[in-house]
Amino acid sequence: MKIAIASDHAGYKTKELIKTFLKENNHSYQDFGADSEDSVDYPDYAFKVAEAVGRGEYERGILICGTGLGMCIAANKVKGIRAVACHNESTAEMSRQHNDANILCLGARVIEQDKMKGIIKVWLQTEFEGDPPEQPKSFGRAGRHQRRIDKISEHESL
Ligand code: RB5
């Protein structure tokens, strides 16, 4: 899977650890910064990753700041982005199954590193439970997740 990754200064060290973890798990990534623990503004990095994912250049994005929250707010301003801030494996799994989340935001100051690896692993391996291809969007319960996401996408164009 092709992943775009970035952090601010608060997430820098954690980003470096996550890169090693991604490599060990055979994922390819592009690092969009930051390049040190010098203070930067998280929206600058959130937008770089979100726009690259929004253009379809990467399948998923991972953003790390102190809490994961600022990155999430900023990334969700970009068209086509469904960014989520997850603090456990359960929400990471649901964010893929129900929301087809394409960016995962993590808080370096609030999540332990081992727990974070578990969250990333689950988030990367879980599939969206959208429409089965042979069924129309309105058909059956499987279609409800796609229908709800379609409503979000439609709202972006208003
Ligand atoms: C930086 O101090 C901190 O505000 C930032 O990393 C992030 O947590 C914002 O949401």
Side-chain angles (χ1 to χ4, degrees), residues 8-11 39-40 42 64-73 106-109:
D8 69 356
H9 53 286
S39 184
V40 293
Y42 61 81
I64 311 110
C65 62
T67 58
L69 301 178
M71 285 290 200
C72 192
I73 293 168
L106 296 164
R109 292 174 177 161

Side-chain angles (χ1 to χ4, degrees), residues 56-68:
E57 293 166 9
Y58 298 87
E59 292 164 79
R60 307 272 188 89
I62 297 178
L63 292 167
I64 311 110
C65 62
T67 58

